[in-house]
Amino acid sequence: EGWGTWYRDDMTTHALLPQGVGLSMHLVNASGVVLDKVQVHAKAPGDSLDAFGEVRAGPHSWQGSTYTEVNVVWSGVNFTVSSAVLDSNLLLLACRHALPAASSEPGRASALRTESARLVVTPALLWSRTGNVSVMADTSKIVLTSAGFPSVHAFVAAPVSSPLTGARPKDWWESRMSEEQGVPTLLEEGLGGLVTRFQVGDCVGVSTGSRLQLGEIKDTVRSAQRTEVARYRQQYADLAEVYEGVQSVLAWLTVYTPEVGLVTPVTRDWDFFGAGYMLFNWDTFFTAYMLGLDRGSK
């Protein structure tokens, strides 16, 4: 239970269990196209970077209770979404960075580095939960209510130069059906969200429970990152990077499915046609073995 990256379709979505509500950081490029499903994909030779985006899974504490980080380069935008949990409340921080020269196509570097974009903080009722969601641009507030649970209040802190506006449901907010599962995805019911301009150097923060200033969110999330990485060094010394890689992969792979609860497959999207996750014997054995070695994974 608690906040975590439990929702399989999008690595920027942080879901609260058992309530089944979520908050996402969705990027909208200069053409109005939305990146609503950040996922690690296997790319074939010749695939365009903009077709899938370049996703790098960063540090991820067990169950996301301390810190998570994912970096995405897509459509000329390089940004990182990181999180921390403070007193059971979620803090999200999305920051845009300059585009690495190696990630841009020849002749497009200067144009891509200044590509305009918007960031949408999107609320959702996940896994077909029933309830209500309210988005209030005038107070930078989102309220998520899953039936049978107290409401979750989220507050968005954007740069002063980029005031928040409300997103009305448009064609890319419309209710969608998952090809694999036949159930509404996190964009169900066209809820929209809170939109802000997202330039290089900008950060956007989200806090649940109580309203925090952007500086407070930055400080808390970055402190959580330092604490998590320091733990690797303290416990594993020269093997800290090896351990970080193993833990991060296993933690990012752990997702929630209504049929069985938490599951750790060998890839987040290995869920076929509503039949549930496919767990191959060989892979599952090693995944379970690695998880069993660390007390914090339980």
Side-chain angles (χ1 to χ4, degrees):
E1 61 181 28
W3 289 101
T5 53
W6 314 124
Y7 187 67
R8 71 147 211 188
D9 283 348
D10 179 43
M11 294 170 68
T12 77
T13 296
H14 287 253
L16 179 63
L17 292 176
Q19 289 86 337
V21 299
L23 291 165
S24 310
M25 299 289 213
H26 287 150
L27 186 70
V28 183
N29 70 10
S31 301
V33 178
V34 63
L35 179 64
D36 60 359
K37 291 185 179 181
V38 170
Q39 196 63 275
V40 176
H41 291 278
K43 293 187 282 293
D47 281 345
S48 168
L49 177 63
D50 283 357
F52 299 102
E54 181 180 286
V55 180
R56 183 180 297 274
H60 192 308
S61 62
W62 293 122
Q63 302 182 33
S65 58
T66 304
Y67 182 75
T68 73
E69 177 186 311
V70 59
N71 177 256
V72 184
V73 178
W74 176 75
S75 193
V77 179
N78 175 22
F79 71 107
T80 298
V81 177
S82 49
S83 76
V85 175
L86 180 65
D87 298 329
S88 300
N89 290 312
L90 175 69
L91 301 182
L92 285 176
L93 182 66
C95 293
R96 182 174 174 182
H97 320 289
L99 188 72
S103 295
S104 58
E105 298 173 16
R108 296 181 62 201
S110 59
L112 289 175
R113 287 175 187 275
T114 58
E115 190 77 45
S116 62
R118 291 171 290 157
L119 190 77
V120 186
V121 180
T122 311
L125 298 170
L126 303 171
W127 304 294
S128 299
R129 295 291 204 275
T130 59
N132 297 289
V133 174
S134 299
V135 177
M136 293 157 277
D138 56 339
T139 57
S140 308
K141 183 177 179 180
I142 294 170
V143 180
L144 305 98
T145 306
S146 180
F149 295 95
S151 296
V152 175
H153 296 253
F155 305 89
V156 180
V160 175
S161 60
S162 304
L164 288 160
T165 58
R168 300 299 302 170
K170 295 183 180 179
D171 53 349
W172 40 269
W173 293 116
E174 288 175 356
S175 179
R176 301 181 183 182
M177 301 300 287
S178 167
E179 293 180 1
E180 296 83 8
Q181 295 180 316
V183 297
T185 68
L186 83 160
L187 296 182
E188 60 187 289
E189 298 184 14
L191 296 171
L194 290 175
V195 185
T196 183
R197 203 176 52 181
F198 200 42
Q199 306 297 335
V200 173
D202 282 347
C203 288
V204 177
V206 177
S207 58
T208 68
S210 60
R211 187 186 300 273
L212 298 181
Q213 299 301 312
L214 183 57
E216 296 176 286
I217 296 172
K218 286 182 181 178
D219 290 345
T220 303
V221 171
R222 289 169 179 171
S223 175
Q225 190 270 347
R226 291 191 296 269
T227 299
E228 181 67 13
V229 173
R231 185 177 66 82
Y232 307 152
R233 292 195 297 267
Q234 291 167 359
Q235 291 184 260
Y236 298 97
D238 293 343
L239 292 176
E241 290 188 5
V242 176
Y243 176 79
E244 177 184 338
V246 172
Q247 175 180 302
S248 296
V249 167
L250 293 171
W252 274 113
L253 287 175
T254 301
V255 294
Y256 173 80
T257 175
E259 294 82 9
V260 298
L262 295 182
V263 62
T264 307
V266 294
T267 178
R268 288 172 63 95
D269 60 356
W270 218 336
D271 187 2
F272 295 97
F273 309 110
Y277 273 94
M278 183 177 292
L279 300 176
F280 291 106
N281 291 343
W282 186 253
D283 300 324
T284 304
F285 172 82
F286 285 113
T287 299
Y289 179 74
M290 289 188 290
L291 285 168
L293 293 175
D294 197 314
R295 182 174 57 186
S297 68
K298 299 175 179 59

